[in-house]
Amino acid sequence: QVQLVESGGGLVQPGGSLRLSCAASGFTLNYYAIGWFRQAPGKEREGVSCISSSVGSTYYADSVKGRFTISRDNVKNTVYLQMNSLKPEDTAVYYCAMGTKSCGSYYKGYGMDYWGKGTLVTVSS
């Protein structure tokens, strides 16, 4: 059965770093688009980053460009989100999701086929 499990969230000070993991089971993630999304209380879900299948093209929201990096480990069947220079506004529940289309097809994650349950990231001093 297809499953995505996020991990790596926690409490970090502004300017700190965290690495989130999205472990896939039931499918080989190399053949799909994997996106990271986040949602803070009272706010809409927003796209953070996405990595495409095959060549592994990556995409980032303007708010995280230069600070976050998405990567894929095909051996471990895991996608990572390295988050550096974290800001309080990065505080949210972070979700990974899988889709069969290209990364550019998923506005705010709509149409993604499978979702993880999320991991909480809190950036505060």
Side-chain angles (χ1 to χ4, degrees):
Q1 185 175 4
V2 173
Q3 188 174 33
L4 297 170
V5 180
E6 304 95 335
S7 63
L11 175 64
V12 65
Q13 294 183 335
S17 299
L18 284 174
R19 188 181 74 163
L20 304 184
S21 298
C22 176
S25 61
F27 72 101
T28 301
L29 56 79
N30 184 46
Y31 298 103
Y32 303 91
I34 305 296
W36 284 98
F37 304 85
R38 66 187 183 186
Q39 187 168 24
K43 297 183 178 180
E44 293 184 338
R45 184 176 63 201
E46 62 177 342
V48 177
S49 184
C50 187
I51 185 167
S52 298
S53 62
S54 300
V55 297
S57 299
T58 58
Y59 306 86
Y60 300 93
D62 290 340
S63 60
V64 306
K65 286 181 179 178
R67 300 189 297 119
F68 291 10
T69 303
I70 190 170
S71 61
R72 179 177 62 211
D73 187 327
N74 293 329
V75 175
K76 296 182 178 180
N77 208 32
T78 299
V79 170
Y80 302 97
L81 184 67
Q82 179 67 45
M83 307 187 296
N84 299 325
S85 302
L86 284 163
K87 305 175 181 179
E89 51 263 43
D90 294 319
T91 297
V93 176
Y94 284 71
Y95 302 89
C96 67
M98 177 269 278
T100 58
K101 301 178 180 179
S102 61
C103 284
S105 300
Y106 301 106
Y107 177 70
K108 294 184 178 181
Y110 294 114
M112 282 286 191
D113 297 296
Y114 296 95
W115 290 80
K117 294 184 178 181
T119 185
L120 176 63
V121 173
T122 302
V123 184
S124 177
S125 60

